[in-house]
Amino acid sequence: MARPRTFDPDAALDAAMRVFWAQGFDATSIDDIVRATGVNRSSLYSLWGDKRGLFVASLDRYGESVGGLWLRLLNEGPSPLAAIRSYVTLLASAICDDPDRLGCFAVNSAVEVGSDPAIAPAIRANFDLVEEGYRAALLRARDLGELPPDADIDAHAAHLAVTTQALLLQARTGAPRATILAAARIALSTLPFPEVP
């Protein structure tokens, strides 16, 4: 008969995610994860298989928690375009204000291990989540008359998603605040806001 777990898998996954996010895949050892989670190796392996499996699960958790939290901003308020503007502006400010300049776990992972076939789908899922969030807000904006009927929703969603990823990568590498905020303003200028921040 299997012994009951003496740890919370969700809490352990959250702790592992934070370590991978800060250090990356290659620089993180299983010993680092054991220290951060308080869970022994055999329990980690029994749940997630190996370090790569735990990394993929951490990317999935990132999309659900951190990504999901940010994307809820795109659905707030009566104006989808105002929500997009608020989202991009707040994100640009938040990444500049982060003293650790962690950037985005998914973007960081794409740079480090994006060619790994076992990890790439989890990274892509995070990217798709952001693009779909923009697409849904833009479709709502078109339905409400904030965008013209012939607006290229897919192109705008892809542009905003790629720009968001680039801003996060710039933050990770220490780009000046003015550079990040200026890039955010230019991205927003591609949509017909009454005024651009």
Side-chain angles (χ1 to χ4, degrees):
M1 180 174 170
R3 292 185 308 183
R5 286 195 192 113
T6 58
F7 66 96
D8 178 351
D10 288 331
L13 188 55
D14 285 339
M17 178 192 75
R18 287 190 293 272
V19 175
F20 281 130
W21 186 0
Q23 298 180 185
F25 179 76
D26 289 334
T28 300
S29 68
I30 288 297
D31 286 340
D32 293 333
I33 301 297
V34 168
R35 280 191 295 275
T37 62
V39 178
N40 64 43
R41 285 169 176 261
S42 62
S43 294
L44 292 171
Y45 290 146
S46 72
L47 272 180
W48 293 290
D50 57 12
K51 178 179 150 181
R52 188 169 268 99
L54 181 55
F55 190 78
V56 168
S58 296
L59 280 165
D60 292 342
R61 173 55 61 91
Y62 179 81
E64 295 164 7
S65 57
V66 178
L69 178 68
W70 273 99
L71 288 175
R72 280 197 286 279
L73 293 173
L74 289 173
N75 294 310
E76 291 186 349
S79 167
L81 286 189
I84 291 171
R85 180 170 153 181
S86 176
Y87 174 84
V88 172
T89 303
L90 285 171
L91 179 66
S93 293
I95 61 180
C96 292
D97 293 339
D98 176 10
D100 298 321
R101 288 290 183 115
L102 290 180
C104 169
F105 181 26
V107 171
N108 300 346
S109 299
V111 173
E112 182 189 12
V113 288
S115 61
D116 186 317
I119 297 174
I123 297 170
R124 184 74 252 165
N126 272 271
F127 289 175
D128 290 345
L129 180 70
V130 173
E131 189 169 336
E132 283 302 319
Y134 281 125
R135 184 176 289 108
L138 290 164
L139 284 169
R140 198 160 62 92
R142 188 176 65 187
D143 291 345
L144 292 172
E146 291 187 327
L147 289 173
D150 62 347
D152 191 338
I153 300 299
D154 290 340
H156 279 300
H159 173 253
L160 289 167
V162 168
T163 299
T164 300
Q165 293 155 12
L167 293 176
L168 289 158
L169 187 58
Q170 288 287 320
R172 177 71 169 182
T173 58
R177 182 185 189 91
T179 299
I180 291 171
L181 295 180
R185 282 195 302 274
I186 294 297
L188 290 171
S189 73
T190 64
L191 293 169
F193 299 104
E195 56 186 66
V196 177

